[in-house]
Every structure is written in C-alpha cells, then in structure tokens.
C-alpha cells in the first residue's frame, strides 16, 4: 500500500457533487494553500444532478452538465481522485483508506457523502428488467438508453415525490406511456399542502399520465418480455421500464465508523464541524440546528449543499462566515416552474393567491399563526422573491391583502416587522 504525504495542510473532501466541488473552490477563495483532494466513486467529472430527472432524460446531451471544466481543477490545484471509494476514516491517524489500498492523510476532512436511493424490499424487485433509480449520470443514461430501445415505452414510476414526478414529466414529453403509483393518499403528501397535491395530480393527468394514489406495490412479476407491477389491492400495471423514487437513505457509514455523532444525519454545528474538530460534513448527509425554525434539520437541496460548502470553507480557513437558515428548492415539470422557499411543516393556515394578469400563475403561502413559514410559487418568480424576503425578515403578512389579487403583490401587504 502507498501513502501520500502532507505538505503543510491537506483537506480531503469525500464526495464530488455540488457541495464538495463548491467547497474545494471556496477553500482557494478563502486563502487555503494546502493540498485539496476531491474523492468520489463516480468515474465522471463532477456534474449537475438536478437536470438528471428533468432535461437530461429528453435531451441529446452528455450525461450530466459539468460543474467545472477539467482545466478549472488544474488551475486551482485541486486533485480529482475519481472512480475509487473511501472505505474507512482512520481518525486517530488522520487519514482515509481507499478501496484501491491507498491512504490519504488529512489535516481537515470534509464528508459530503450525500444519500442513496432506497430500494424497497418488494418481492421480485431484484430480478425485474430495466428497473432504475435516478441519482447519478449513469442512472439517467441507463434510463435514456432503455427508453430509446423500448418498443412500447411503458413506464411505471413507483413514488409520487418530486423526483418521480419530474421523471414522469420528462419521459411523458418524450412519448412514454407513464403510470405513477403513490403509496400515500395524495402526491407530495409529506412536503406540501393538499392544494399543491391536487394541482400536480391534475397537471400530470392533463398531460396523459395515469396517476394512482393509495397504491402499495406488493410484487413485481417479470417474464420474457416485460414486467408487471402488482399492488396490494390486486391491480397490475405493465412496465417496460420501472423507475423507483421512494426516498433516500443517508450515507453515514463512514461517519459511524469514525465514531462521529449521528442523529438523522451527521450532527454538525453552525460551522458544519462534526463532533471531531478535524472533520466537517456538508449537504444531504448532515443534520444541523436551524436558528430560524428552531429545530434540527437535514435538508436535501443543492442550495443547502452550496451554502454549507461556503461556510465550512471559511471555517476551515478561520475566516468569518454567514449562514443561510431559510432553504429554497425548485422543480420543473412540463411548462411549470415551481419555486419553494422555507419549510411548511407545522403550518396551520394556508392562503392561496391567484394573479389576475397571469392565469397560469399562483402561489401558496403557509402560516403558523401570524408567522410565515414557506411559500410555493408556481410560475411566479415575484411571489418567490417576496416570500423569501418576508420569511428572512420575519415580516407579518396581511392575509386579507394577500388573498385579494386586486391588491398588488408587494411589500404593501406587510402588516409589521417582528
């Protein structure tokens, strides 16, 4: 086995997705002069992941748009160690062990290990033909290849979350015969209000997608030509391609073996530092106390990973940093752009606002008493921008003015600042 050597400082980043790559370049911007190495099991140059379930499936483009050109890493003196997996964090010796037998020492280690798609224990799922999750560029490429070679192009999507719905929309636009099976009584049940669930149910039905709620998949039968997805109520759905999008499992195995504190993710402080002062964690894999919502959160979003990467880079360099406690998300389906800011969990009141001059535009505002928690904006960038401003300022919104679309959507709907 070989070992690299430390010259002054060495920061090892495990995971070369949005957070890890952003952190590496942020370190240089913050003045870090030591070695920086990005390690990832994916052989591809780091790429954008959100388009995988959106434009990539229907576009003739390489598998994943690059986050940075290869020469960008060379110019910033950032080493890419791709196609190998970190199998152990030897924190007592401050080094990581790779599956190729090499060891890389560190002065700082950043875990950006993300999460992995859940494969539910459905009988027959292991032997199903053309069954995929969608998390990597290779996943998206495999789906696109299977779709192009399929004659009937019958797709069953198991799971009616955002990734499942985005994938359904992309494949439907390419001519697939798509069926979505959701276990809960409504789509997006864990993350949004019934108003939004009903809207996306109708949207997909209008585009020819069969959407079935309350469907618990109990078995997958596979024969020589295709699959049949069987539900507990006895209904069956033929499928040439099956997409599984039922959630993710946090990748905490390395952290656990390094004896880091785990609680629905790797526990980090405001600087994204773990219980080991030399180890940081960012992105989907970590849990952090959110001062705005006053609770521990683990967020799955590109924005969160990018923001935490900047914070960790500044903290590693002992520079000042600013956190972004209000998260935002987005989803593209057909001609609809959904922009979301804040977290709606715990809402007691929902206000829907329709715009007079934009019939395809509306917004849903979530309140806990007078506190504005979140805003879902459909084809409405202005509502998203103002909602972000109001939530960050903890402004009290006049609900009567908000629902009255004869009143312009502006700062005039604020009652007072908290």
């Amino acid at each position: 086995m070989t070992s690299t050597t430390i010259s002054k400082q060495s920061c090892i980043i495990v995971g070369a997705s949005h957070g890890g790559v952003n952190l590496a370049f942020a370190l240089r911007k913050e003045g870090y002069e030591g070695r920086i190495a990005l390690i990832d099991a994916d052989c591809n140059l780091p790429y954008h992941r959100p388009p995988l379930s959106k434009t990539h499936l229907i576009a003739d483009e390489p598998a994943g748009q690059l986050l940075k050109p290869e020469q960008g890493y060379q110019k910033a003196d950032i080493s890419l160690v791709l196609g190998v997996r970190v199998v152990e964090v030897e924190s007592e010796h401050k080094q990581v062990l790779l599956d190729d037998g090499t060891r890389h020492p560190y002065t700082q280690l950043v875990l950006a290990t993300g999460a992995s798609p859940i494969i539910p224990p459905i009988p027959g799922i292991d032997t199903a033909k053309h069954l995929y999750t969608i998390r990597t560029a290779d996943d998206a490429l495999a789906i696109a290849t299977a779709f192009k070679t399929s004659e009937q192009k019958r797709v069953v999507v198991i799971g009616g979350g955002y990734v499942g719905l985005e994938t359904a929309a992309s494949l439907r636009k390419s001519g697939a015969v798509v069926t979505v099976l959701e276990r809960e009584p409504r789509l997006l049940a864990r993350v949004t209000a019934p108003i939004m669930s009903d809207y996306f149910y109708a949207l997909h039905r209008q585009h020819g997608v069969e959407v079935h709620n309350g469907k618990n998949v109990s078995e997958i039968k596979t024969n020589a030509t295709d699959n049949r997805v069987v539900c507990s109520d006895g209904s069956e759905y033929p499928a040439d391609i099956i997409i599984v999008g039922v959630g993710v499992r946090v990748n905490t195995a390395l952290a656990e073996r390094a004896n880091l504190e785990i609680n629905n993710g790797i526990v980090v402080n405001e600087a994204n530092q773990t219980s080991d002062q030399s180890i940081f964690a960012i992105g989907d894999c970590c849990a952090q106390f959110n001062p705005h919502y006053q609770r521990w959160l683990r967020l799955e979003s590109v924005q969160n990973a990018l923001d935490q990467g900047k914070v960790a880079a500044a903290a590693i360099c002992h520079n000042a940093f600013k956190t972004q406690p209000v998260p935002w998300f987005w989803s593209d389906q057909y001609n609809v752009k959904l922009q979301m800011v804040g977290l709606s969990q715990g809402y007691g009141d929902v206000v829907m606002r329709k715009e007079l001059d934009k019939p395809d535009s509306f917004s849903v505002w979530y309140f806990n008493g007078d506190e504005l928690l979140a805003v879902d904006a459909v084809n409405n960038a202005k509502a998203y921008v103002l909602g972000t401003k109001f939530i960050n300022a903890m402004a009290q919104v006049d609900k009567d003015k908000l629902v009255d679309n004869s009143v312009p959507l502006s700062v005039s709907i604020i009652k007072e600042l908290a």
Side-chain angles (χ1 to χ4, degrees), residues 340-378:
M340 300 158 278
V341 60
L343 299 173
S344 62
Q345 289 85 351
Y347 73 88
D349 191 13
V350 174
V351 174
M352 181 177 181
R353 178 187 172 94
K354 296 183 178 180
E355 304 302 330
L356 285 174
D357 57 338
K358 296 180 180 179
D360 63 342
S361 172
F362 68 93
S363 53
V364 177
W365 301 63
Y366 299 83
F367 294 89
N368 179 15
D370 288 330
E371 181 188 2
L372 176 62
L373 298 176
V375 177
D376 293 343
V378 174

Side-chain angles (χ1 to χ4, degrees), residues 125-154:
I125 199 168
D126 294 335
T127 55
K129 294 179 179 179
H130 300 301
L131 182 143
Y132 308 97
T133 58
I134 183 162
R135 190 76 178 178
T136 68
D138 289 344
D139 294 336
L141 183 60
I143 293 169
T145 300
F147 179 75
K148 290 174 183 177
T149 57
S150 172
E151 292 184 5
Q152 299 189 66
K153 303 187 185 304
R154 297 169 301 178

Side-chain angles (χ1 to χ4, degrees), residues 249-261:
R249 183 176 291 109
V250 190
N251 294 330
T252 59
L254 283 176
E256 291 171 16
R257 293 199 295 274
N259 296 315
L260 302 182
E261 185 180 354

Side-chain angles (χ1 to χ4, degrees), residues 33-283:
E33 297 180 350
R35 175 177 183 256
I36 300 174
L38 275 164
I39 303 176
D40 200 293
D42 197 324
C43 294
N44 298 293
L45 283 173
Y47 51 86
H48 287 273
R49 291 181 184 263
L52 296 180
S53 60
K54 304 179 181 74
T55 56
H56 173 67
L57 288 178
I58 58 174
D60 293 326
E61 61 183 40
Q65 179 185 356
L66 296 182
L67 291 172
K68 300 280 186 179
E70 188 171 8
Q71 58 268 32
Y73 298 94
Q74 297 169 355
K75 185 177 180 181
D77 192 21
I78 296 169
S79 300
L80 288 173
V81 185
L82 304 176
V84 289
R85 189 179 303 276
V86 176
V87 295
E88 204 70 49
V89 173
E90 299 172 344
S91 55
E92 66 277 15
H93 302 299
K94 288 194 173 182
Q95 60 186 12
V96 295
L97 172 64
L98 276 57
D99 60 4
D100 64 0
T102 62
R103 283 181 165 83
H104 290 248
Y106 65 82
T107 48
Q108 300 91 18
L109 173 67
V110 182
L111 299 177
T113 50
S116 300
I118 292 173
I119 304 296
I122 299 170
I125 199 168
D126 294 335
T127 55
K129 294 179 179 179
H130 300 301
L131 182 143
Y132 308 97
T133 58
I134 183 162
R135 190 76 178 178
T136 68
D138 289 344
D139 294 336
L141 183 60
I143 293 169
T145 300
F147 179 75
K148 290 174 183 177
T149 57
S150 172
E151 292 184 5
Q152 299 189 66
K153 303 187 185 304
R154 297 169 301 178
V155 179
V156 170
V157 178
I158 302 175
Y162 284 117
V163 170
L165 294 179
E166 289 166 0
T167 304
S170 295
L171 292 175
R172 179 62 189 139
K173 288 171 71 174
S174 290
V177 178
V178 182
T179 300
V180 174
L181 304 176
E182 168 56 43
R183 184 179 61 179
E184 300 297 325
R186 60 184 178 89
L187 300 175
L188 307 169
R190 293 182 293 275
V191 294
T192 195
I195 293 173
M196 295 299 296
S197 297
D198 293 345
Y199 173 78
F200 280 104
Y201 178 86
L203 178 69
H204 281 270
R205 292 296 294 263
Q206 289 166 7
H207 283 83
V209 175
E210 287 293 325
V211 182
H212 300 282
N213 295 325
K215 292 286 186 177
N216 185 39
V217 177
S218 59
E219 184 182 4
I220 298 176
K221 298 178 180 179
T222 302
N223 56 38
T225 57
D226 61 13
N227 307 289
R228 298 193 77 81
V229 181
V230 183
C231 295
S232 56
D233 61 4
S235 57
E236 297 187 9
Y237 303 90
D240 304 299
I241 299 170
I242 300 173
I243 310 294
V244 179
V246 297
V248 297
R249 183 176 291 109
V250 190
N251 294 330
T252 59
L254 283 176
E256 291 171 16
R257 293 199 295 274
N259 296 315
L260 302 182
E261 185 180 354
I262 309 291
N263 187 3
N264 186 33
I266 306 168
V267 175
V268 297
N269 62 15
E270 68 280 359
N272 283 87
Q273 191 174 43
T274 71
S275 51
D276 182 322
Q277 292 187 351
S278 299
I279 303 177
F280 295 73
I282 62 172

